[in-house]
Amino acid sequence: MDQASPLIDRRTWTRRDGPLWQIAYDTLLRMIQRRELPAHVPVVENQLAQQLGISRTPLRQALLRLEIEGRLQKTVNHSYVVRRVELKEYLQSLRVRQFLEPEAAALSAGRIPADHLAAAHANLLAVKETEPYSMPLHWKSDDEVHDLFIENCGNDTMADILRSLRVTTNLFEIERLSERLIPDSQQHERILETLEQADAGAAREAVADHIQSLFEFAVRTVA
């Protein structure tokens, strides 16, 4: 994650420059987050390449990266589909995150650059002030806050596990995600404040409470 990157489009955080495969990756990731690429529906490369206005070579690079991350999987016919995450896997993944992420936050306390924390604060404010609600902006800010302590926890193995778990939980289709905007914003603000204060204990508690809130929301609204 590059917190220093300018927000070219504050509605979608769409990348406007860079290599073609990166532009294709960013666009496909946004399409997955918006559920414009439904789970288990084959991805047709020719149609996507035409839609994105690029050749199939950078598109395939983007698809491969999404497969490596666990967002896409190949069928027996070697076509790509978005991986479907059911409620059971989502809840189980949240429980594992609830064990590991608070520890990652505690380990990162005092190690995160101040300008990265300031950027996360600014982007969190943009999410709350954007009208109408923007799912891509919500997801981007969510990734930014969690990546701050995951990437700075100093434990590469823990970080790899958490990145994989976050892919799984992000793929779960919460139809009422907009209802999480206020609680997520408040809880992310608390997490950022504890990290700014380099308070390991408070950071651990704030992250644990946040993930418990996600678990309870899913059980209440989906189960």
Side-chain angles (χ1 to χ4, degrees):
M1 181 186 60
D2 182 5
Q3 289 92 347
S5 297
L7 299 183
I8 303 300
D9 183 344
R10 297 194 73 88
R11 286 284 303 133
T12 63
W13 284 12
T14 304
R15 182 186 293 268
R16 302 280 188 185
D17 56 5
L20 285 177
W21 74 265
Q22 182 69 60
I23 295 172
Y25 169 85
D26 290 346
T27 303
L28 291 172
L29 178 57
R30 192 172 65 256
M31 292 173 71
I32 291 172
Q33 292 173 338
R34 286 177 168 175
R35 315 310 179 196
E36 294 170 2
L37 289 177
H40 284 188
V41 175
V43 173
V44 181
E45 290 186 19
N46 284 336
Q47 291 180 359
L48 268 181
Q50 190 173 35
Q51 181 180 350
L52 301 180
I54 61 175
S55 69
R56 292 177 67 178
T57 298
L59 175 62
R60 285 174 174 170
Q61 289 178 282
L63 292 171
L64 178 60
R65 177 175 170 184
L66 290 165
E67 180 189 15
I68 291 171
E69 291 178 349
R71 302 179 195 273
L72 297 179
Q73 57 187 187
K74 280 190 174 180
T75 67
V76 293
N77 296 324
H78 302 291
S79 60
Y80 282 109
V81 295
V82 176
R83 183 163 68 91
R84 184 188 297 279
V85 173
E86 303 292 351
L87 178 62
K88 180 180 178 180
E89 183 181 5
Y90 174 72
L91 294 178
Q92 290 179 344
S93 297
L94 278 181
R95 281 308 189 206
V96 179
R97 282 180 57 189
Q98 195 168 20
F99 282 111
L100 294 181
E101 277 197 53
E103 187 61 26
L107 290 171
S108 73
R111 304 178 60 170
I112 302 174
D115 59 330
H116 291 188
L117 287 165
H121 265 297
N123 293 331
L124 181 59
L125 179 62
V127 175
K128 293 189 291 185
E129 293 183 344
T130 297
E131 293 289 347
Y133 168 76
S134 170
M135 181 185 293
L137 201 62
H138 188 168
W139 278 124
K140 186 70 175 181
S141 176
D142 182 80
D143 284 339
E144 183 174 32
V145 171
H146 287 263
D147 283 350
L148 278 176
F149 56 82
I150 290 173
E151 301 299 334
N152 289 282
C153 71
N155 186 316
D156 292 340
T157 299
M158 180 183 289
D160 287 342
I161 293 171
L162 286 173
R163 280 190 288 266
S164 177
L165 287 168
R166 280 188 52 75
V167 166
T168 296
T169 52
N170 285 353
L171 284 172
F172 181 67
E173 298 190 10
I174 299 178
E175 297 297 336
R176 294 159 60 181
L177 183 64
S178 62
E179 295 181 22
R180 286 294 313 175
L181 178 60
I182 298 304
D184 278 353
S185 298
Q186 293 173 342
Q187 292 159 17
H188 285 161
E189 185 69 32
R190 181 184 170 210
I191 291 169
L192 291 175
E193 289 173 354
T194 63
L195 294 174
E196 287 174 334
Q197 296 162 4
D199 189 332
R204 181 185 288 111
E205 180 181 355
V207 173
D209 289 346
H210 172 53
I211 298 177
Q212 179 63 27
S213 174
L214 294 173
F215 187 95
E216 292 173 357
F217 177 80
V219 171
R220 183 172 66 253
T221 61
V222 182

